[in-house]
Amino acid sequence: MIHSVAKCVRTAAATLRVRAISVRSSSVRYSIPLRSIHGDISVPNANHVAIQMVNYALSHARSQNSGESYAQGMLVLEQCLGTQPNDDQASQDSKATVLLAMSDLLYESGNSSEAIERLKQVMSLSLSSLSIRVVALEALVGLLIQSGQDDASLNVADEFLELVKERGHENLQDVAATAKTIKGLAELVKGSIESAESLFRGLENHDMCIGNAALSYGEYLHATGNFEKAKEMYQKSIQGVTETKESMCSCNMNLKAVSLAATFALGQLESHIGNFGDAEETLTSALTSAEEYYGHNHPNVGVILTGVALMYRNKAKQERSSSIMIQEGLFRRALELMKAPPLDSEGIINMETQEVMALARGGYAELLLIQEKRKGEGEKMKTWAESAWRNTRVSLSEALAPSSESLDKVVAIIDARTTRVL
């Protein structure tokens, strides 16, 4: 292992020394492998060799997709990071680019806590450009929300917004708008609808209302009952990702995750308004994308399956039909993929999918409670789901109620990026 890693680093260094000689352009774009996280991006201030090493490390790790290849990729990035000076904007932009790549590999390897630490390092680079730091902010807030650190997510968003205000340059308007939408998502997760509204206000008229921004705004509109406008934002988000030529994004806020999450949100919306044919088609598309991107046995596939099961549940309720076997199979598989703990266990094993687990078990419990011989299991499952539910805006019973029965159209939306219920 050690010898192969050392050889990998030497190969990368030798290759990149040759490549660096031929680099003349003022900007270098990342290549886009099948499982790209960063997407295409121009980093005019960053060191060209550093960007080449980032490309090599990401490509090597993902092409072989093994624990060893990811370890080798991380070692290449650590060597690259160690060679970067720390005395001007260009060098700190280079360090930020390397740290973002490290956070990606750590996140993909399932080490979100270490990915968070690398993103915090980017935020601490006081000389690096705000346009790069806002990328780290977006990913950092996304991972903090996913790990249940909601207060921390709001704090880092607040600090960055204050920094942007202090700079006060007109050319930072896009950065400020992006930071506002990031904080808006954090407020929405906390159930602070009024605070979220003030941050999203006017966003639809802004050029950067695409991708993540359009998706988060769409989820706010969806949560507040403006279904027609929410649908427009979801479609705009999907289209924006498709048309994006240059972008920088990281971890659970990357372009592929955004496209998948927007499709999933659109499918949930179609279910909420009773368009079950469109809902099934859209959610099937989201499920296929999730399986292709994450792999068939990833917990995030379980998150999508929960949404599919809830759609069939909503359909059966509104059409007064029965799909008990389909729903049960979907709920069971979703909980299995999310690694739901036994009903008699103490505490929650997987904080990242806790709310979705509660939603799945709540729906599953209702199926069991209507079956005389399984009422006991249903009661235990219902109790577990209620104790695990932590959403402050929507109760578990409201989240499970068909949209036509929800007062004032109170609906719950699963955000596939953060695996949280909004």
Side-chain angles (χ1 to χ4, degrees):
M1 169 71 178
I2 295 175
H3 293 301
S4 61
V5 172
K7 181 179 178 182
C8 177
V9 173
R10 287 196 299 271
T11 302
T15 303
L16 295 168
R17 278 195 294 271
V18 173
R19 288 180 180 174
I21 296 173
S22 62
V23 173
R24 293 290 182 269
S25 173
S26 62
S27 65
V28 178
R29 293 181 179 178
Y30 292 125
S31 58
I32 310 182
L34 180 62
R35 289 174 55 82
S36 172
I37 295 296
H38 279 292
D40 246 358
I41 177 175
S42 293
V43 191
N45 291 323
N47 179 286
H48 294 154
V49 175
I51 294 176
Q52 292 281 350
M53 290 190 77
V54 164
N55 278 336
Y56 180 90
L58 293 175
S59 177
H60 177 78
R62 292 167 179 160
S63 63
Q64 298 190 27
N65 196 25
S66 66
E68 184 175 3
S69 69
Y70 270 77
Q72 291 170 348
M74 282 296 295
L75 189 54
V76 170
L77 293 174
E78 286 166 3
Q79 273 214 342
C80 182
L81 186 65
T83 63
Q84 303 304 313
N86 199 40
D87 52 4
D88 58 20
Q89 180 176 327
S91 59
Q92 289 206 355
D93 281 355
S94 296
K95 290 188 76 168
T97 304
V98 177
L99 287 165
L100 282 170
M102 294 175 80
S103 70
D104 285 333
L105 292 189
L106 288 164
Y107 172 70
E108 291 174 43
S109 302
N111 194 344
S112 293
S113 60
E114 284 298 317
I116 287 171
E117 292 307 311
R118 297 303 188 281
L119 293 168
K120 287 180 178 178
Q121 285 180 259
V122 178
M123 299 300 293
S124 70
L125 296 173
S126 59
L127 298 179
S128 67
S129 64
L130 291 181
S131 59
I132 290 182
R133 274 188 278 169
V134 78
V135 174
L137 172 72
E138 186 174 66
L140 179 57
V141 168
L143 291 187
L144 289 171
I145 290 172
Q146 188 168 9
S147 60
Q149 301 179 60
D150 299 348
D151 290 337
S153 72
L154 274 175
N155 289 339
V156 296
D158 274 332
E159 290 172 6
F160 188 81
L161 271 171
E162 287 302 315
L163 178 61
V164 174
K165 289 177 183 177
E166 289 174 10
R167 298 289 179 91
H169 298 306
E170 288 187 5
N171 60 355
L172 293 179
Q173 288 181 353
D174 285 355
V175 171
T178 301
K180 283 184 178 181
T181 63
I182 295 167
K183 185 182 176 185
L185 175 61
E187 293 284 11
L188 190 56
V189 169
K190 292 273 287 182
S192 304
I193 296 296
E194 290 184 5
S195 297
E197 193 278 334
S198 66
L199 292 160
F200 287 123
R201 188 183 298 127
L203 181 63
E204 66 269 22
N205 300 318
H206 203 289
D207 289 342
M208 51 72 61
C209 186
I210 56 174
N212 264 314
L215 172 54
S216 296
Y217 182 39
E219 288 173 330
Y220 160 77
L221 294 166
H222 191 168
T224 53
N226 192 341
F227 293 167
E228 184 177 350
K229 190 68 175 179
K231 185 172 182 177
E232 288 180 21
M233 287 299 110
Y234 291 152
Q235 292 170 334
K236 191 172 184 180
S237 175
I238 296 167
Q239 182 180 358
V241 171
T242 303
E243 295 176 352
T244 294
K245 300 300 181 183
E246 290 189 358
S247 176
M248 196 172 191
C249 42
S250 188
C251 298
N252 61 355
M253 295 294 186
N254 71 73
L255 292 178
K256 183 65 177 179
V258 173
S259 178
L260 168 59
T263 304
F264 183 49
L266 179 59
Q268 292 175 82
L269 187 148
E270 296 289 8
S271 175
H272 290 153
I273 61 179
N275 292 338
F276 297 114
D278 290 340
E280 184 172 4
E281 181 179 350
T282 307
L283 290 172
T284 299
S285 175
L287 177 61
T288 301
S289 295
E291 289 174 336
E292 290 175 352
Y293 183 55
Y294 295 111
H296 289 266
N297 298 316
H298 195 279
N300 283 19
V301 175
V303 171
I304 306 299
L305 280 173
T306 300
V308 177
L310 291 172
M311 181 273 293
Y312 279 114
R313 181 180 177 279
N314 195 16
K315 181 181 180 181
K317 290 271 187 178
Q318 291 197 31
E319 296 181 352
R320 301 186 184 280
S321 59
S322 177
S323 57
I324 291 177
M325 292 183 65
I326 294 174
Q327 290 179 57
E328 182 171 353
L330 289 168
F331 281 133
R332 188 189 302 120
R333 178 58 177 161
L335 289 163
E336 178 185 318
L337 291 176
M338 290 186 287
K339 298 178 175 58
L343 293 174
D344 56 0
S345 64
E346 294 185 5
I348 305 300
I349 292 176
N350 188 346
M351 286 292 293
E352 293 190 353
T353 55
Q354 175 178 334
E355 288 180 339
V356 184
M357 275 186 208
L359 199 54
R361 276 193 161 156
Y364 195 174
E366 291 193 357
L367 293 177
L368 299 177
L369 288 169
I370 61 175
Q371 302 175 58
E372 189 64 35
K373 294 182 179 180
R374 305 177 74 183
K375 279 188 176 180
E377 183 186 358
E379 290 291 353
K380 286 183 66 175
M381 193 171 289
K382 181 181 179 181
T383 299
W384 188 98
E386 289 174 344
S387 65
W389 188 254
R390 57 179 174 173
N391 192 291
T392 58
R393 186 186 71 86
V394 184
S395 68
L396 180 59
S397 60
E398 287 175 326
L400 289 170
S403 54
S404 61
E405 297 177 12
S406 298
L407 297 177
D408 299 321
K409 295 186 178 179
V410 175
V411 294
I413 307 108
I414 303 173
D415 178 66
R417 296 168 297 179
T418 62
T419 64
R420 292 290 297 274
V421 178
L422 306 178

